[in-house]
Amino acid sequence: MSIRNLDDLLAEGVSGRRVLVRADLNVPLDKQSGAITDDGRIRAVLPTLSALVQAGAKVVVCSHLGRPKGSPDPQFSLQPVADRLGELLGAPVRFATDTVGDSARSTVDGLADGEVALLENLRFNAGETSKDEAERGAFADQLAAFGEAYVDDAFGAVHRKHASVYDVPARLPHVAGRLVLREVEVLSTLTGDPERPYVVVLGGSKVSDKLAVIEALLPKVDRLLIGGGMCFTFLKAQGHEVGSSLLEEEMVETCRNLLERSEGKIMLPVDVVAADAFAPDAAHDTVRADGIPTKRVGLDIGPETVAGFAAALKGARTIFWNGPMGVFEMAPFAHGTRGVAEAIAGSGAFTVVGGGDSAAAVRALGLDESAFGHISTGGGASLEYLEGKTLPGIAALEK
C-alpha cells in the first residue's frame, strides 16, 4: 500500500496535537438493557488509541453505531461505548453528547495531552452518509476542524463513501491506523499468492450476498466449502428437495452454473440438521442433504458434513472463513459452526476469519481467539476487498 501509517505520524510527533481517529465502534447492544454484548471492535482499536495516548496526543474518536436515520436516536447512542472504552484504556473517556455541536466543541477544547474524547454517533448527522457531495463535504469540514491529523482505523467502514471515511482525509494529513494496516496486509495475502492448499469456507444466509466473492475466489482456491443457509440453494441446484429451508429461487440457475464450472472444487453438505420450526426448542434430527422432509427447515450442517469439512481443512496451508454453518445463536444448531471453527483453529494453517457473524460466532461460542491467525473486523469490507473492488476509505488514504 502506498499509504502512510501510524508509525509515520508518531515519528513526526503528536504530543499536544489533536488527532482525529475514525474507529469502528459499531458493537452489538442488548435490546433490553442497552449493554454491549460483544466488545471485539472496541478492543481492536486499542493498539492505535494506546499508542497515541502514550505519545501525548489529544485523541478525538468518532464512529457510527447502528443505522439511525440522520438524526439523534437514544437507542444508538455511543455512551455505553465511551464507558467501555474508558475501562479498557484504564482512564476516563470524555463523551460529547453531539457530533459537531456545542458539546463536541467544548469536549475537544477541554482535552489535555494524552486524554481521549468520543463524539456522539456520526450517523446522527445526515451529512455523514449523504450522497450529496456538498452536504457530505460540509459535515466533513466540521469534523476535520477537531483534528490536526487524521487516522483511519475503521476497516469495517472503508467500503463506504461516507464523510468521516472518504472526505475528511482530503482535509487533513492522514494515515492508516494499526488495525487498517493489518487488515489490508492480511487480505492482500489472500488475493496474492497464498500458501497452498488454499481452502475457503463460506456460510451465512444468502448466495446473492456472497456471489461476487465466490466468483472472485473460485479460480484461486483449491477447495470451497459451503454451509449455512446458502447451501440449500446449491442443493436445490443439484435437484434435491430442501423442504422449507432458506432458498433463493432466482439464484438456483446461477448455483448450477457455479457447480458446473467449479471443477469439483465446491464441497456441499451431505447431511443437515432439520427442524419442525425456526425455534430453539423445535423438534429436530439429522437427515441426508438429499432427503430433507418437505415440511422441515434445515438449520445446521450435520456431523458427517462437519467431519468431511474437517478432513478437507486438514493439511491446508491457508484458510479463509466467512459465515456461520448454521443458526449458531440457538444451541441445538450451533454444533456445525463450532465443529468447523475448531477444525480451522487446529489446522496449523494461516487462518483468517472474515469478520461479521463469523467473528461473533468465535466469541459467542467461547472459542480461543488467539487460535486464529487473524479475525477481521470488517465483514462487508473484507468481502469487497477480496472481490477486487476499490474501497473508498482506502483510496482516500492513498491520495
Side-chain angles (χ1 to χ4, degrees), residues 8 17 56 65 103 131 148 169 224 252 293 298 304 306 347:
D8 297 320
R17 298 174 64 195
L65 192 154
S103 177
K131 289 181 169 52
E148 298 164 70
L224 175 58
V252 171
E304 190 177 335
V306 172
S347 66

Side-chain angles (χ1 to χ4, degrees), residues 184-247:
V184 173
E185 287 174 347
V186 167
L187 295 174
S188 295
T189 300
L190 299 181
T191 57
D193 186 21
E195 282 194 64
R196 296 185 179 280
Y198 176 20
V199 180
V200 169
V201 184
L202 293 180
S205 58
K206 295 182 177 180
V207 177
S208 54
D209 291 342
K210 304 284 172 71
L211 178 61
V213 80
I214 292 173
E215 294 274 12
L217 291 177
L218 198 53
K220 301 177 182 179
V221 304
D222 296 293
R223 297 302 297 272
L224 175 58
L225 317 182
I226 294 179
M230 62 189 289
C231 79
F232 299 106
T233 303
F234 278 93
L235 292 172
K236 185 73 171 181
Q238 290 184 318
H240 302 317
E241 171 63 53
V242 297
S244 56
S245 306
L246 186 64
L247 176 66

Side-chain angles (χ1 to χ4, degrees), residues 13-27:
V14 294
S15 180
R17 298 174 64 195
R18 292 197 315 269
V19 179
L20 181 65
V21 180
R22 177 48 161 107
D24 179 11
L25 306 177
N26 185 28
V27 295

Side-chain angles (χ1 to χ4, degrees), residues 1-20:
M1 273 198 315
S2 56
I3 296 176
R4 298 175 71 246
N5 61 54
L6 184 66
D7 289 335
D8 297 320
L9 179 62
L10 294 173
E12 295 169 0
V14 294
S15 180
R17 298 174 64 195
R18 292 197 315 269
V19 179
L20 181 65

Side-chain angles (χ1 to χ4, degrees), residues 25 38-47 84 88 363 369:
L25 306 177
D38 180 357
D39 67 359
R41 283 180 171 163
I42 303 175
R43 289 186 284 113
V45 78
L46 290 179
R84 180 59 179 149
L88 293 169
R363 291 188 277 269
E369 292 182 52

